[in-house]
Amino acid sequence: MFFMIAAPLLLLFAFVAPAHAQVPAFTQSGPLESNAGHVMMEWNAGSAVSLEIATSPAFEDAQELYQGRNHAYFLSGLDGGTYYLRLTDEAGEQSETIKLAVVHQSLEQAIWLTVIGAIIALGIVAVIVRGARA
Amino acid sequence: MSEKAALLDPMTGWVLLALFSLLWIGLGVYWGRRNKSFEDHALAGRNVGLALGSATAAATWITSNTTMLAPQFALELGIWGMLAYSMAAFGLLLFAPLAGRIRKLMPNGYTSGDFFRLRYGRFAWFIFLIFTLFYSLTWLVSMAMAGGILLNALSGIPYVWGMTVILTVCVIYTMRGGLMAVIGTDFIQSLIILVGIVIVGFSVLQNVSVEEIHTNLETNKPMLITVMFPAALMAIFNNLLFGLGEVFHNNVWWSRAFALREGVGGKAFAIAGLVWFPIPIAAGFIALASGALNVAVPSPDMVGPLVIADVLGGAGAIAIFIIVFCSLASSIDSLLAATSDLITEDVYRRLFHPMAQPESLKVVAQWITLGLGLFTWAVCVPRIGTLASVLFFAGPLVGAMIWPIVTGLYWRRANTTGAIGGMLLGGGIGLISYFQIGWYVASTIGTAVSMVWVLACALLSKTQFDWSRLKEGI
């Protein structure tokens, strides 16, 4: 009996419910970390969304990165620091803010490895050039 | 645009796929009609000229990675990332003198395995076979998977159908035409890719200026134009050494060195390297323009096609479909041919049938090509997402083979202990660093360890290798 009443009501609700009823939400759980300044942001949303980034949790310096119906955005080239991201849909519903910490790898380690790589490469060139001349 | 929307409708994709499939198969059958022996099939009669030789080397090195991963490198690692990808050109440029040396020392050689067996003995040869088959098969699988994924993303053709068609086409024309078909189709494919990349590059520049791109990057993605970007700096020589290892050891390149007419190899590889060098820069530039063009990127490996479709519209979508199809075919066919030749020569003939006749070896090579195609198809069907990334494990393995090959070709004192230790220590420690630190150091550390061991063994050795042994026993 309950099913006979509930089923049509549920169907009716499904048809009349607005498409943007789903509150936008990131699929990742924060806080996020990146050691190369890039991160893939993914979310679920029932309508078009606006993705914003800011350096303060209150979004005083918010900058819109993307506006549209995609469910992902690849963010790259970020300088070291702490960032905050949030989604806002067409109805003004906002996702929870997600925190992103960008801490780049050690520059000293990078320079050492670059120097080692250069020495190996020059060594290979030297063996080939000397061998080709002989 | 929705992330799930394809750039082309599936019908257009199927028509393009059918047209190019018929073209490659037709040309493969035509070029293969004169192949009688294994030498004709595997090495195109050892008589390939400069134009075809340069084009095949360049086209084989232009994989789907060049057109799809180079923009991703630029989007993730900026200007340095773009240059880091271009560093792989040094693989071809430095192989140029090696190609001449290989042809001179081994006028009757068939595979890179022949070199390891004759120069360092059976145990080193066995290690080489494990390393190179791991690398070749993972490259082949990653290319076939990329084919299915890209054709699906570009035109909506279902993954399994796209992957099956591209693999089947390459298997048919490689089986029928051997290396001559591979080289011939590579020539046409390289021309299509080069013209396509040039048109796309100029089209992007007509839509947005360099100043606008720079301003956009400075404001929104500052690290991409920063000189002291740690991850990007580390990628430069790691990528260079990975590229050197790939080219120096793999039979794809050795088979071309054997196939090219005497005196042609050095010039052909040098030209190919120079032709290839600017392609990742052009492809990467497209990615750097994405912000200024206001193209949202839902997935980094799709940045190239998205920008091209935005700039050129429907024509751009067709162009990128053709470029991607050509890039994939030119690499898959070369890998199929070179790997089947390696298995035919180094496993079937050397281990089991030393008295096999050239005509029967040709038939064996054709069956092995078919078997490789079926194996690749079976591995690719489940579409295991992480499988393609296995290719990056090969970085330290191929890096560890650079020094045994280079010193083995030029130094009489290079010896078996150095080669075996260099490959095992370099490959092993490189793999550990891959997991302990990251992919961006694995090739550098693997090559460094191998170099120290190989040099120490050569300096302490009193052996003097007799070069004539490389001519014997083939």
Side-chain angles (χ1 to χ4, degrees), chain A residues 12-86:
Chain A
L12 184 68
F13 180 76
F15 280 110
V16 297
H20 55 260
Q22 187 184 1
V23 176
F26 289 108
T27 55
Q28 299 112 311
S29 54
L32 304 176
E33 287 178 9
S34 169
N35 61 10
H38 58 77
V39 67
M40 177 80 132
M41 301 304 301
E42 293 177 281
W43 60 84
N44 292 317
S47 68
V49 296
S50 161
L51 172 67
E52 290 176 300
I53 190 168
T55 53
S56 78
F59 284 81
E60 286 145 356
D61 58 343
Q63 184 194 344
E64 187 179 73
L65 291 171
Y66 169 72
Q67 204 280 322
R69 291 182 173 276
N70 282 358
H71 290 271
Y73 183 87
F74 185 71
L75 185 57
S76 68
L78 291 173
D79 211 341
T82 304
Y83 300 88
Y84 299 88
L85 294 120
R86 74 178 177 198

Side-chain angles (χ1 to χ4, degrees), chain B residues 251-423:
Chain B
N251 197 47
V252 164
W253 311 102
W254 282 67
S255 63
R256 279 156 178 74
F258 292 128
L260 292 168
R261 201 177 297 148
E262 198 164 358
V264 166
K267 290 175 201 156
F269 279 99
I271 291 170
L274 292 173
V275 167
W276 193 89
F277 184 77
I279 291 174
I281 294 176
F285 172 73
I286 292 166
L288 292 180
S290 63
L293 288 166
N294 208 20
V295 175
V297 182
S299 170
D301 55 358
M302 285 302 288
V303 60
L306 287 171
V307 172
I308 292 166
D310 184 79
V311 169
L312 291 174
I318 291 174
I320 191 70
F321 187 95
I322 295 170
I323 290 171
V324 164
F325 188 37
C326 290
S327 312
L328 286 162
S330 64
S331 301
I332 291 173
D333 62 5
S334 299
L335 265 168
L336 282 170
T339 311
S340 74
D341 296 343
L342 186 79
I343 295 172
T344 306
E345 166 68 11
D346 286 63
V347 180
Y348 177 83
R349 182 181 174 197
R350 292 292 166 190
L351 289 180
F352 301 110
H353 297 89
M355 304 306 287
Q357 295 302 304
E359 293 77 12
S360 68
L361 284 174
K362 180 197 154 191
V363 176
V364 170
Q366 288 175 316
W367 281 108
I368 290 174
T369 303
L370 179 63
L372 280 172
L374 288 171
F375 166 81
T376 307
W377 182 83
V379 174
C380 288
V381 164
R383 192 177 174 174
I384 303 165
T386 53
L387 206 59
S389 63
V390 174
L391 179 63
F392 294 108
F393 292 173
L397 303 185
V398 300
M401 288 191 277
I402 295 173
W403 281 89
I405 291 168
V406 173
T407 54
L409 281 168
Y410 288 111
W411 292 0
R412 288 180 188 275
R413 279 192 297 176
N415 55 60
T416 304
T417 312
I420 292 172
M423 288 192 286

Side-chain angles (χ1 to χ4, degrees), chain A residues 36 38 40 63 66 70-74 76-79 104-105 109-110 113-114 117-118 120 123-125 127-128 131-132, chain B residues 1-3 75-76 97 220-224 229-230 233-234 237 296-300 402-403 406 410 440-441 444 447-448:
Chain A
H38 58 77
M40 177 80 132
Q63 184 194 344
Y66 169 72
N70 282 358
H71 290 271
Y73 183 87
F74 185 71
S76 68
L78 291 173
D79 211 341
H104 284 283
Q105 287 156 22
Q109 173 189 288
L113 282 164
T114 306
I120 299 168
I124 294 166
V125 172
V127 173
I128 293 174
Chain B
M1 184 192 342
S2 162
E3 64 182 340
L75 193 67
E76 291 178 355
N220 300 316
K221 299 175 189 291
M223 285 307 282
L224 300 190
F229 184 177
L233 285 173
M234 284 188 278
F237 283 100
V297 182
S299 170
I402 295 173
W403 281 89
V406 173
Y410 288 111
Y440 41 83
V441 299
T444 305
T447 313

Side-chain angles (χ1 to χ4, degrees), chain B residues 37-336:
Chain B
S37 67
F38 181 54
E39 189 160 285
D40 296 335
H41 183 80
L43 300 176
R46 299 184 194 270
N47 197 30
V48 177
L50 185 61
L52 284 177
S54 311
T56 188
T60 303
W61 211 212
I62 303 170
T63 66
S64 64
N65 281 347
T66 320
T67 46
M68 312 299 279
L69 193 60
Q72 182 177 340
F73 254 56
L75 193 67
E76 291 178 355
L77 301 174
I79 304 280
W80 279 130
M82 208 163 74
L83 288 172
Y85 207 97
S86 286
M87 287 291 175
F90 284 93
L92 296 178
L93 289 169
L94 290 175
F95 193 69
L98 295 190
R101 179 79 173 162
I102 289 163
R103 193 76 163 80
K104 186 179 163 195
L105 290 177
M106 302 175 69
N108 304 311
Y110 278 95
T111 67
S112 45
D114 284 336
F115 168 76
F116 271 86
R117 183 174 45 77
L118 294 169
R119 182 68 178 82
Y120 293 125
R122 282 190 167 246
F123 188 57
W125 174 52
F126 183 66
I127 296 166
F128 160 80
L129 280 179
I130 293 172
F131 281 18
T132 195
L133 286 176
F134 174 79
Y135 166 80
S136 299
L137 293 176
T138 48
W139 188 15
L140 190 55
V141 167
S142 73
M143 284 291 111
M145 276 182 73
I149 292 168
L150 290 173
L151 296 190
N152 176 254
L154 294 172
S155 66
I157 292 173
Y159 163 78
V160 173
W161 281 105
M163 182 271 292
T164 305
V165 169
I166 197 162
L167 203 50
T168 306
V169 169
C170 291
V171 166
I172 291 173
Y173 77 76
T174 307
M175 273 183 80
R176 289 289 299 142
L179 189 64
M180 194 58 229
V182 170
I183 288 175
T185 49
D186 277 0
F187 181 76
I188 299 170
Q189 286 154 358
S190 65
L191 290 179
I192 292 172
I193 295 165
L194 288 173
V195 170
I197 293 281
V198 169
I199 290 172
V200 166
F202 279 109
S203 303
V204 169
L205 273 176
Q206 282 186 336
N207 279 269
V208 62
S209 68
V210 174
E211 288 76 22
E212 286 172 278
I213 296 170
H214 183 265
T215 306
N216 179 274
L217 291 173
E218 202 170 33
T219 311
N220 300 316
K221 299 175 189 291
M223 285 307 282
L224 300 190
I225 49 171
T226 301
V227 175
M228 292 296 170
F229 184 177
L233 285 173
M234 284 188 278
I236 296 171
F237 283 100
N238 191 72
N239 221 48
L240 185 148
L241 294 171
F242 193 172
L244 287 186
E246 285 179 283
V247 176
F248 283 15
H249 93 278
N250 199 268
N251 197 47
V252 164
W253 311 102
W254 282 67
S255 63
R256 279 156 178 74
F258 292 128
L260 292 168
R261 201 177 297 148
E262 198 164 358
V264 166
K267 290 175 201 156
F269 279 99
I271 291 170
L274 292 173
V275 167
W276 193 89
F277 184 77
I279 291 174
I281 294 176
F285 172 73
I286 292 166
L288 292 180
S290 63
L293 288 166
N294 208 20
V295 175
V297 182
S299 170
D301 55 358
M302 285 302 288
V303 60
L306 287 171
V307 172
I308 292 166
D310 184 79
V311 169
L312 291 174
I318 291 174
I320 191 70
F321 187 95
I322 295 170
I323 290 171
V324 164
F325 188 37
C326 290
S327 312
L328 286 162
S330 64
S331 301
I332 291 173
D333 62 5
S334 299
L335 265 168
L336 282 170

Side-chain angles (χ1 to χ4, degrees), chain B residues 11-32:
Chain B
M11 183 53 74
T12 311
W14 278 115
V15 169
L16 289 170
L17 203 56
L19 286 174
F20 279 92
S21 298
L22 287 172
L23 176 67
W24 304 143
I25 291 173
L27 288 171
V29 171
Y30 176 74
W31 278 317

